[in-house]
Amino acid sequence: MSSSQQDKEQALALAGVFQAAALVHQLSNKGMVSQDSFETSIGSIIETSPDSTLAVYGGSTEGMALGIRTLQSFVNKEPDTSAHILRYAMSILYLEKRLRKDPQMLSAIGQRLEQVKIQSHHFSTTHENVIANIASLYQDTISTFSFRIQVQGEPNILRQNSNAEKVRALLFAGIRSAILWHQLGGRRWKLLLGRKKISRALDEISRH
């Protein structure tokens, strides 16, 4: 793989993290999300044996527009970048690191994800039963770490069980992308010191 191709694949996976974070922010404040982005992010959880990085996100960058735009605004240090979205994204990367050091939990997640995949074939990827199953998986595994992501938003929205389940499912989607980013060579210091490289890669992705 050429270095420019690797940069693009890393940027796309990182955009997956930022898309999940942006959707959590949208949902917790407005009670609704961009459906196309939501379907792409949730679909990435079930895509466990992809042919390519792009295949994780449905084979097209269309459903990743929110994540690409959000990550671009972060690397370009645009003033309207939400501090909440950034905090969620950094927290997701931290939890992925914790998960990577727990092979037993990774194995348990892998087994449960097979059940989720079967269920998603019977229903649809974003059916409430599938979302509830992913949310339950997140609660039984990632939520048991001492570090937990505190989601801020409208209490009335977050109190609704269906919204709370969507938030957990989206955080899980973010961690799936964070694992992919790390597998592709992504590292936190690259995020902080390699902003120009990420920005160039995102520009190239957006042109295709």
Side-chain angles (χ1 to χ4, degrees), residues 16-76:
V17 174
F18 275 76
Q19 176 151 303
L23 287 167
V24 166
H25 184 61
Q26 268 184 18
L27 183 64
S28 58
N29 286 279
K30 297 176 184 171
M32 59 180 74
V33 286
S34 155
Q35 196 57 28
D36 199 24
S37 306
F38 183 66
E39 284 177 12
T40 301
S41 289
I42 298 300
S44 72
I45 298 170
I46 295 157
E47 194 54 74
T48 52
S49 306
D51 297 331
S52 65
T53 302
L54 196 58
V56 175
Y57 305 106
S60 157
T61 58
E62 282 178 30
M64 291 297 294
L66 174 63
I68 291 166
R69 191 167 64 246
T70 306
L71 177 56
Q72 191 71 278
S73 73
F74 165 67
V75 295
N76 292 340

Side-chain angles (χ1 to χ4, degrees), residues 130-200:
V130 177
I131 298 297
N133 203 346
I134 296 168
S136 168
L137 175 54
Y138 182 86
Q139 266 191 309
D140 294 343
T141 55
I142 312 294
S143 277
T144 63
F145 289 131
S146 55
F147 176 86
R148 299 174 78 169
I149 300 175
Q150 300 297 323
V151 174
Q152 291 177 292
E154 291 294 325
N156 289 342
I157 292 171
L158 291 169
R159 267 198 294 268
Q160 292 175 37
N161 193 45
S162 62
N163 289 333
E165 288 179 339
K166 283 177 184 172
V167 163
R168 291 187 193 106
L170 285 167
L171 292 174
F172 199 96
I175 287 169
R176 193 273 181 265
S177 284
I179 289 171
L180 179 62
W181 179 64
H182 189 271
Q183 287 170 339
L184 292 164
R187 300 293 180 268
R188 281 173 71 109
W189 63 266
K190 288 185 180 181
L191 176 56
L192 300 170
L193 301 177
R195 289 171 188 249
K196 283 185 180 173
K197 190 181 269 194
I198 295 169
S199 184
R200 277 198 303 272

